[in-house]
């Protein structure tokens, strides 16, 4: 590999001749051969947009010349349209806790490209990073990337999943099934009620995520090194937020307190907690689907999920609930990500949190996993499942728990006797109740009608 010599404040260093980055990036590559996993692309794109918005703001504040600012913006545009973008950003996630290596990686790459649009060298520190510090850039990039991924991917995926569940549920109003508590037979429910419950859970998650975007859209940018704003124009933060909002078409604003946004990651921890709550909702839906689909002969067999692939390398004809299983694994991973983010959030020492890269990586991973699996759950499981009505009815009318409907008439103790006898003899509850009470069969059939019981009341 051909090399060139680059120089930074620590001295000279060999860098690949064709690389757009410089010495500081190369030092990070040398220092952190840990995971071979770079920062997420969504984070890098947000970092580049931050540099473009900063150049725009600094031009309007007369801190950069129009020509220099335009060169930086051109470089950012070129990167954002580069299909090989990530080849320029190889720094490992597990790096310096402030994310300085990633910030300087961006500064160096943009400076190299900007120099091609300018009649003299563009400085990574003096120009691209003007009025900024890694300590406000990286927390801002976490908020910006999380907000854009929420608004652009996760929230639309959740709306799609919820709407798919609602629409599917509307088609299932005529199906009544045995309800289950503790995995044991309980009072009947309609399938649309089950689906509406899932939709309600998702709506709660959507509402909570929308509320959190109001916090992730508040940025640390302008606080620079420790929150005081040293080396940044006093009007920089407000103008920067305006320029970034224009670039992204999402509204961003300066944070109320830069010290809090630089020294802590409370908002990221709160967002991760809500993503964990969504993962728990996904796990509930996935497991309900798996149980209802179980069998088809020895399980519940109430529904049939779309067959997507052979289920066994040894058992011919076996088909498994692969989408719910994948969704359940996503939920487990997101819960694990949250644990790492929680620990990362505890590393706010005085004026800086020093686990920023791993917080960014896990937060964006959770958002991506939940968005992608939510779309699949909607399209390849919910929308395409079919109901096995015969299997539903097979258990429904034999369920002794239906006797609960007779409690107001014959009392709990008498109803319990009837239920136990029906269990013991394996007979329909209506037959046993007819023998044990003075109620006519006609009355009993009306009182014990499973579909009627799903409407509640006395």
């Amino acid at each position: 590999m051909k090399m060139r010599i680059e120089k930074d404040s620590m001295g000279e260093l060999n860098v690949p001749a064709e690389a757009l980055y410089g010495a500081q990036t190369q030092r990070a590559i040398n220092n952190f051969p840990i995971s071979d996993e770079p920062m997420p692309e969504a984070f890098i794109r947000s970092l580049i947009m931050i540099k473009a918005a900063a150049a725009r703001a600094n031009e309007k504040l007369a801190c950069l010349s129009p020509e220099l600012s335009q060169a930086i913006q051109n470089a950012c545009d070129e990167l954002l349209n580069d299909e090989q973008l990530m080849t320029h950003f190889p720094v490992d996630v597990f790096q310096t806790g402030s994310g300085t290596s990633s910030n300087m990686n961006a500064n160096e790459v943009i400076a190299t490209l900007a120099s091609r649009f300018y009649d003299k060298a563009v400085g990574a520190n003096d120009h691209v990073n003007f009025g900024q510090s890694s300590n406000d850039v990286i927390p801002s990039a976490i908020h910006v990337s999380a907000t854009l991924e929420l608004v652009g991917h996760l929230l639309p995926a959740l709306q799609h999943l919820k709407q798919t569940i609602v629409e599917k549920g509307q088609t299932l109003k005529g199906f009544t099934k045995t309800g289950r508590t503790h995995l044991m037979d309980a009072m009947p429910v309609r399938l649309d009620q089950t689906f509406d419950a899932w939709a309600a859970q998702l709506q709660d998650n959507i509402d909570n995520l929308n509320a959190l975007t109001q916090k992730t859209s508040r940025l640390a940018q302008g606080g620079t090194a420790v929150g005081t704003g040293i080396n940044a124009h006093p009007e920089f933060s407000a103008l920067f937020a305006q320029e970034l909002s224009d670039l992204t078409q999402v509204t961003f604003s300066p944070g109320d307190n830069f010290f809090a946004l630089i020294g802590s990651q409370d908002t990221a921890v709160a967002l991760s907690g809500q993503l964990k709550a969504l993962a728990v909702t996904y796990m509930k839906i996935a497991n309900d689907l798996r149980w209802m689909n179980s069998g088809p002969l020895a399980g519940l067999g109430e529904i049939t999920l779309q067959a997507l692939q052979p289920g066994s390398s040894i058992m011919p004809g076996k088909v498994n609930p692969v989408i719910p299983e994948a969704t359940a694994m996503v939920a487990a991973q997101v819960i694990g990500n949250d644990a790492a983010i929680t620990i990362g959030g505890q590393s706010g020492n005085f004026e800086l949190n020093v686990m920023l890269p791993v917080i960014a990586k896990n937060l964006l991973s959770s958002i991506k996993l939940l968005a992608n699996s939510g779309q699949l759950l909607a399209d390849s499981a919910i929308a395409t499942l079919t109901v096995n009505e015969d299997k539903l009815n097979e258990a429904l009318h034999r369920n002794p728990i239906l006797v609960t409907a007779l409690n107001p008439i014959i009392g709990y103790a008498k109803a319990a006797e009837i239920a136990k006898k029906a269990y013991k003899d394996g007979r329909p509850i209506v037959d046993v109740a007819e023998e044990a009470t003075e109620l006519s069969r006609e009355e009993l059939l009306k009182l014990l009608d499973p579909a009627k019981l799903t409407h509640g009341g006395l």
Side-chain angles (χ1 to χ4, degrees):
M1 182 184 295
K2 291 184 179 180
M3 307 296 285
R4 70 177 193 269
I5 296 177
E6 288 284 346
K7 186 177 182 180
D8 62 10
S9 61
M10 294 185 72
E12 295 183 344
L13 196 68
N14 284 327
V15 175
E18 299 301 317
L20 297 181
Y21 52 76
Q24 289 205 45
T25 301
Q26 187 61 51
R27 290 190 193 281
I29 294 170
N30 296 345
N31 288 337
F32 307 115
I34 297 175
S35 71
D36 290 328
E37 183 177 359
M39 295 296 289
E41 183 172 347
F43 178 87
I44 296 299
R45 287 184 171 277
S46 294
L47 194 52
I48 294 167
M49 286 187 278
I50 284 171
K51 298 300 176 179
R56 286 187 180 191
N58 281 320
E59 176 188 347
K60 291 183 177 179
L61 295 168
C63 295
L64 292 177
S65 70
E67 297 79 13
L68 183 51
S69 171
Q70 191 59 56
I72 292 171
Q73 292 177 60
N74 289 346
C76 292
D77 288 342
E78 184 172 325
L79 286 169
L80 291 172
N81 289 301
D82 186 352
E83 293 182 358
Q84 303 300 315
L85 170 66
M86 293 306 294
T87 62
H88 309 304
F89 296 89
V91 176
D92 203 281
V93 167
F94 299 94
Q95 53 171 286
T96 175
S98 62
T100 297
S101 298
S102 286
N103 184 42
M104 282 309 304
N105 187 178
N107 290 335
E108 290 179 339
V109 169
I110 293 168
T112 298
L113 290 175
S115 297
R116 300 174 184 176
F117 298 102
Y118 196 57
D119 59 1
K120 44 182 137 174
V122 176
N125 292 85
D126 294 333
H127 301 138
V128 181
N129 199 61
F130 188 92
Q132 306 152 63
S133 164
S134 300
N135 298 354
D136 62 351
V137 166
I138 301 301
S140 294
I142 292 174
H143 277 212
V144 171
S145 57
T147 302
L148 295 180
E149 289 300 293
L150 283 171
V151 171
H153 295 111
L154 180 55
L155 285 166
L158 289 179
Q159 288 287 2
H160 175 64
L161 175 57
K162 178 204 155 189
Q163 190 59 32
T164 301
I165 288 171
V166 169
E167 290 175 0
K168 188 69 174 182
Q170 289 296 310
T171 71
L172 304 177
K173 283 188 174 181
F175 297 104
T176 302
K177 67 186 288 289
T178 300
R180 292 178 182 86
T181 58
H182 305 269
L183 295 181
M184 304 298 286
D185 298 341
M187 292 298 290
V189 296
R190 297 191 313 275
L191 272 177
D192 66 295
Q193 293 173 322
T194 297
F195 279 56
D196 285 347
W198 297 342
Q201 287 181 268
L202 289 168
Q203 187 59 56
D204 283 343
N205 281 283
I206 290 168
D207 292 343
N208 291 338
L209 287 169
N210 274 319
L212 279 165
T213 61
Q214 303 305 308
K215 292 185 176 294
T216 60
S217 62
R218 297 173 190 164
L219 307 179
Q221 203 66 52
T224 65
V226 293
T228 61
I230 187 70
N231 288 357
H233 191 286
E235 298 173 25
F236 174 76
S237 60
L239 193 52
F240 165 84
Q242 179 182 322
E243 295 294 340
L244 185 65
S245 299
D246 290 343
L247 276 172
T248 61
Q249 298 302 299
V250 173
T251 301
F252 291 97
S253 61
D256 296 330
N257 188 297
F258 293 144
F259 296 98
L261 289 171
I262 294 173
S264 76
Q265 279 294 302
D266 292 352
T267 297
V269 172
L271 175 55
S272 179
Q274 178 53 49
L275 295 173
K276 179 178 68 174
L278 176 58
V280 170
T281 295
Y282 274 25
M283 187 74 85
K284 167 72 162 68
I285 296 171
N287 281 334
D288 282 356
L289 287 169
R290 290 171 61 230
W291 276 105
M292 286 193 290
N293 180 76
S294 62
L297 299 179
L300 299 180
E302 295 174 340
I303 63 170
T304 299
L305 293 170
Q306 180 185 5
L308 295 173
Q309 64 188 58
S312 173
S313 61
I314 191 172
M315 293 177 282
K318 193 171 190 295
V319 178
N320 298 327
V322 293
I323 298 299
E325 287 176 351
T327 302
M329 287 190 284
V330 163
Q333 183 62 62
V334 170
I335 292 166
N337 288 349
D338 178 67
I341 292 168
T342 301
I343 294 169
Q346 295 174 6
S347 293
N349 309 130
F350 299 109
E351 279 68 58
L352 181 67
N353 181 286
V354 289
M355 284 199 184
L356 298 177
V358 79
I359 289 173
K361 181 256 186 186
N362 282 283
L363 195 62
L364 292 171
S365 171
S366 291
I367 293 172
K368 180 178 180 179
L369 290 171
L370 290 165
N372 291 347
S373 61
Q375 189 82 29
L376 284 174
L377 193 62
D379 297 339
S380 299
I382 302 292
T384 56
L385 67 82
T386 57
V387 178
N388 303 324
E389 187 171 11
D390 289 345
K391 193 72 172 178
L392 291 183
N393 291 332
E394 181 183 312
L396 188 61
H397 294 281
R398 294 176 59 246
N399 180 9
I401 301 301
L402 294 175
V403 78
T404 303
L406 303 182
N407 282 357
I409 301 170
I410 64 174
Y412 183 94
K414 183 68 173 177
E417 289 178 13
I418 294 171
K420 289 176 182 178
K421 183 169 180 55
Y423 269 126
K424 181 180 178 182
D425 296 347
R427 297 168 61 200
I429 195 71
V430 67
D431 293 345
V432 179
E434 186 179 10
E435 296 172 359
T437 71
E438 296 180 357
L439 297 169
S440 69
R441 189 172 187 84
E442 183 180 2
E443 289 177 293
L444 287 168
L445 287 172
K446 185 178 179 181
L447 289 167
L448 299 173
D449 177 16
K452 175 180 176 292
L453 296 177
T454 64
H455 295 280
L458 292 171

